Amino acid sequence: MVAPIIVALGGSLLYGDHDVKTWLGQLRQTLVHIEGNGRKIGIVVGGGKPAREGINLANDVISDRFRLDEIGIAATRLNATILQKMLQEIGCKVAPSIPETTSEAATMFDSFNIVIMGGTKPGHTTDAVSVAFARESGSAHVIIATNVSHVYTADPRKDESATAIEEMTLDELSAITGTESLKPGQSAAVDPIAVQWAKDALLRIGVLDGRDIRRLEDALEGRPFEGTLVRPE
Ligand code: UTP
């Protein structure tokens, strides 16, 4: 059996300044097309605005970082439910519940074509979940769809000289992200824990701007895509 395609969809794609309703329709069409071609797909949905706002609100009254992470996880599962219901509505063979672990998610491919999930445990983000999900499903790579075009040499919002990288190794990526885990709700080009897990499993990572459905579609179909390709070596 061909391995499922695993993609992390950043929560910013559901709550950004782009035309989210049109984008959701395009995403739905793309997923129907992939399912029609007999491919299986696993989607890990990020928390976006509800995670950020929930964690911000709770920050004043909750100091325990695991509890704050759990609020973020609840938001990712809310967003996963939105996509899962959208696909159920049009008759896709999508798993009827949101799995709580990546091994449970991988098992669901025995019976379903599409598996949608959110976060799992405190201490990492959905980027890392997607890496674990790929490993459990026998997939050699993961697509991280976010709201930036590439991984940059530095944060382009802070450093004008930052340039986009088209191809790099996981070691080079971890030199940029660092190795320390992110704080609850803190965002980064790619979660350092995801990079470490990808190194351990020798997985490739594709990072791209998911707001442009064509780029996402290229990566999902295994074609060259506009974005950053991160190789194990
Ligand atoms: P996200 O995975 O959405 O973070 O998790 P992100 O990638 O930085 O943000 P978007 O989606 O691209 O906007 C949101 C928060 O939920 C908690 C963390 O606190 C994280 O910052 N979380 C998520 C976990 O603790 N564990 C998980 O498995 C997933």
Side-chain angles (χ1 to χ4, degrees):
M1 196 186 79
V2 186
I5 306 161
I6 307 297
V7 48
L9 275 189
S12 57
L13 299 174
L14 295 177
Y15 298 93
D17 294 332
H18 56 295
D19 180 352
V20 177
K21 287 191 180 159
T22 302
W23 178 85
L24 264 181
Q26 293 169 331
L27 176 71
R28 181 173 58 189
Q29 203 176 354
T30 301
L31 296 175
V32 166
H33 183 72
I34 288 174
E35 185 184 33
N37 284 344
R39 290 301 304 271
K40 299 206 175 212
I41 180 159
I43 304 176
V44 186
V45 191
K49 194 173 172 195
R52 226 175 21 253
E53 291 194 348
I55 291 169
N56 270 345
L57 174 65
N59 238 324
D60 289 339
V61 284
I62 296 170
S63 56
D64 182 286
R65 75 154 284 179
F66 274 32
R67 294 194 179 111
L68 293 171
D69 276 344
E70 276 166 354
I71 290 166
I73 293 170
T76 65
R77 293 177 61 82
L78 161 74
N79 293 338
T81 305
I82 295 170
L83 288 195
Q84 185 241 0
K85 297 294 165 209
M86 173 182 87
L87 296 174
Q88 265 183 336
E89 176 107 344
I90 54 164
C92 290
K93 206 170 168 198
V94 55
S97 59
I98 306 298
E100 294 193 2
T101 65
T102 49
S103 58
E104 184 192 348
T107 310
M108 285 170 153
F109 284 126
D110 294 342
S111 316
F112 301 98
N113 297 333
I114 305 176
V115 178
I116 315 243
M117 70 182 300
T120 52
K121 287 197 179 114
H124 51 68
T125 73
T126 45
D127 290 353
V129 174
S130 67
V131 169
F133 191 8
R135 191 188 56 214
E136 302 263 6
S137 317
S139 182
H141 64 269
V142 55
I143 298 160
I144 297 186
T146 177
N147 63 353
V148 291
S149 68
H150 294 83
V151 175
Y152 280 74
T153 49
D155 185 342
R157 286 166 304 186
K158 295 181 190 152
D159 184 347
E160 272 182 17
S161 66
T163 53
I165 302 171
E166 298 204 332
E167 223 178 307
M168 68 195 310
T169 64
L170 287 167
D171 278 335
E172 287 165 345
L173 179 56
S174 64
I176 291 174
T177 61
T179 50
E180 218 173 287
S181 69
L182 300 168
K183 296 194 186 75
Q186 187 188 352
S187 80
V190 181
D191 176 0
I193 306 291
V195 182
Q196 185 53 52
W197 290 2
K199 275 204 231 177
D200 296 343
L202 298 175
L203 289 185
R204 262 177 300 137
I205 302 179
V207 181
L208 55 84
D209 188 341
R211 292 171 299 185
D212 180 348
I213 209 77
R214 191 182 41 84
R215 297 182 201 185
L216 180 57
E217 221 168 53
D218 283 342
L220 293 172
E221 300 279 6
R223 295 190 291 262
F225 61 90
E226 190 174 341
T228 304
L229 177 65
V230 192
R231 295 174 279 102
E233 295 294 335

